[in-house]
Amino acid sequence: MIVQKGVYRQFADKLIYRTQRLKVGNGLDETVDVGPQINEQQVATTEKYVQIAKNEGAKLESGGKALNKPEHAYGWFFEPTVFTDVDAKMRVAQEEIFGLCSA
């Protein structure tokens, strides 16, 4: 997302707040906001991009980890993840990544 500098922090805080309240689980459950990723390889790819973003200087604000709680035992789940301070030249800003949000 691209956000105007004057409202950036306020927007980011609201996005982080909302993201942390998303329900992750079975995609067939109507109360769930975020379903599983397609497979274990996609979770590994998402983890790789989290590390790349951190190494390039993006600030991890929320999420960033695979979920392995008992309620996530049947599927490949990843925490909804938000990065801030993302530069347009960073890979997370240039590539489509299923599992991350960058502002």
Side-chain angles (χ1 to χ4, degrees), residues 40-54:
E40 185 176 16
Q41 182 180 347
Q42 184 58 46
V43 171
T45 297
T46 305
E47 288 174 325
K48 180 181 95 175
Y49 273 103
V50 166
Q51 194 57 50
I52 289 168
K54 289 165 53 175

Side-chain angles (χ1 to χ4, degrees), residues 2-73:
I2 299 172
V3 181
Q4 181 200 26
K5 190 180 281 188
V7 296
Y8 177 76
R9 190 69 249 172
Q10 179 183 8
F11 178 87
D13 289 343
K14 288 181 179 186
L15 176 64
I16 294 160
Y17 177 84
R18 175 68 180 109
T19 301
Q20 291 172 336
R21 280 143 189 82
L22 293 173
K23 182 177 179 182
V24 179
N26 184 334
L28 299 175
D29 179 343
E30 291 183 12
T31 67
V32 166
D33 299 303
V34 180
Q37 293 193 338
I38 190 70
N39 55 31
E40 185 176 16
Q41 182 180 347
Q42 184 58 46
V43 171
T45 297
T46 305
E47 288 174 325
K48 180 181 95 175
Y49 273 103
V50 166
Q51 194 57 50
I52 289 168
K54 289 165 53 175
N55 291 345
E56 290 182 344
K59 183 177 178 186
L60 178 63
E61 295 275 5
S62 181
K65 297 179 192 147
L67 292 169
N68 54 14
K69 298 175 185 175
E71 62 266 31
H72 302 115

